[in-house]
Amino acid sequence: MTAPPTAFGRYLLETKLAAGGMGEVYLARMAGPRGFEKRVVIKRVLPHLAESPEFVERFLDEARIVVRLAHGNIAQVLDMGEVDGQYFMAIEYVDGIDLRELGRRLRDRKQPLPVPIALQIASEVAKGLDYAHSRCDEDGKSLGIIHRDVSPSNVVVSRSGEVKLLDFGIATASDRQVHSISGALHGKFAYMSPEQASGRGLDRRSDLFSVGTLLYELLAGKRPFDDPSDLRILDLIRGGQYTPIQDVRTDLPDGVAAIVAKCPLKS
């Protein structure tokens, strides 16, 4: 039996989708007059972290970044606020499947993803990133946005075929109020660029490296850099050690193999 929705301000929380790190994520309904409803995703700071000014500021930083981004390939922030001391964001709900789950299903069925679909997904992610990378403030100064966590769980394909990039929670930006500790690694190890894996300074090319890694996995059905040990994964990335895509999937046109070889291995 499904639990009844929980009231949270003007939102009704229905299902917890995830928890960990700094927050909880819920599928929710935004309620309005005369029966108006809209499905949204609510992301809120964990109660015990809401007492930490630093954690709250990091959370609000993400909202400040994403609220400036209005692009068809980026999930939109619709609202943000505070309810009973809990800070939250209401984010566009994308009814679809993320690439992590899509890959799992394809592997279970031993089916490769068709090449045109893989290329289309990677192209749409790149469009969203190009928009974010190019954003400037009112004075024309670059905002310096870098996503830093382009990975399968942060890309959703909707039922209608839209491709949406999610979660700018660890993104960098020139005017971010709270900055990461120098040298600290943030993001999913298997999709990091060599610079990110080494804790060095990053620019937009780091995200493009991650897109290339994502494209490789979409086509090959496995990661280019993979090992049970996280430290070994970082070593493989820093050394550029991977199996060429054409040795894993032999039906690729030469042009596609060349794109994959260029994109993920040089940032």
Side-chain angles (χ1 to χ4, degrees):
M1 184 175 179
T2 304
T6 301
F8 183 72
R10 65 190 184 112
Y11 299 95
L12 297 174
L13 306 183
E14 295 182 331
T15 305
K16 182 180 287 190
L17 302 176
M22 292 195 300
E24 300 172 312
V25 181
Y26 290 85
L27 180 62
R29 284 181 283 141
M30 181 172 63
R34 297 183 179 273
F36 170 84
E37 288 187 345
K38 182 179 178 65
R39 275 274 176 88
V40 298
V41 171
I42 294 293
K43 184 175 182 180
R44 67 181 184 182
V45 175
L46 291 169
H48 70 280
L49 296 177
E51 300 176 2
S52 166
E54 180 180 357
F55 275 106
V56 170
E57 198 58 47
R58 285 184 181 179
F59 185 83
L60 297 179
D61 262 343
E62 178 184 356
R64 294 187 188 105
I65 291 172
V66 185
V67 77
R68 303 181 185 187
L69 305 179
H71 190 273
N73 295 119
I74 298 174
Q76 303 295 292
V77 170
L78 306 173
D79 186 19
M80 66 172 295
E82 179 186 356
V83 175
D84 298 329
Q86 295 188 55
Y87 291 89
F88 75 92
M89 283 185 286
I91 305 168
E92 173 187 2
Y93 169 60
V94 184
D95 183 15
I97 185 172
D98 68 41
L99 296 189
R100 179 176 56 182
E101 177 63 17
L102 176 62
R104 185 191 66 78
R105 294 185 186 183
L106 290 171
R107 287 190 295 273
D108 287 347
R109 299 172 185 173
K110 295 181 169 48
Q111 292 179 344
L113 185 66
V115 173
I117 294 177
L119 293 175
Q120 179 68 17
I121 290 172
S123 174
E124 295 299 301
V125 172
K127 288 178 184 177
L129 287 170
D130 180 64
Y131 170 83
H133 294 158
S134 303
R135 287 291 291 152
C136 297
D137 63 18
E138 293 79 3
D139 298 322
K141 180 181 177 182
S142 172
L143 292 175
I145 295 173
I146 307 168
H147 189 283
R148 296 202 299 170
D149 197 15
V150 179
S151 56
S153 60
N154 283 336
V155 178
V156 175
V157 180
S158 76
R159 294 181 185 274
S160 60
E162 296 175 302
V163 178
K164 299 276 188 176
L165 181 61
L166 313 177
D167 201 350
F168 280 72
I170 65 168
T172 59
S174 57
D175 63 347
R176 189 158 192 155
Q177 300 299 309
V178 176
H179 296 275
S180 301
I181 298 173
S182 177
L185 297 182
H186 298 274
K188 300 176 183 69
F189 287 179
Y191 304 92
M192 290 183 174
S193 68
E195 291 78 9
Q196 192 174 2
S198 301
R200 304 206 304 268
L202 305 178
D203 60 27
R204 66 180 65 189
R205 291 174 294 178
S206 180
D207 283 343
L208 297 183
F209 184 100
S210 300
V211 173
T213 302
L214 189 69
L215 177 57
Y216 184 110
E217 183 173 350
L218 288 173
L219 292 169
K222 65 177 186 177
R223 300 168 181 169
F225 308 105
D226 202 9
D227 192 271
S229 166
D230 286 342
L231 292 178
R232 176 59 179 158
I233 288 175
L234 297 178
D235 285 340
L236 293 173
I237 292 172
R238 288 189 287 254
Q241 301 176 51
Y242 75 105
T243 302
I245 186 70
Q246 62 267 28
D247 293 347
V248 181
R249 185 163 176 179
T250 58
D251 65 329
L252 290 182
D254 291 342
V256 174
I259 291 172
V260 177
K262 182 179 180 180
C263 191
L265 306 188
K266 298 288 185 182
S267 67

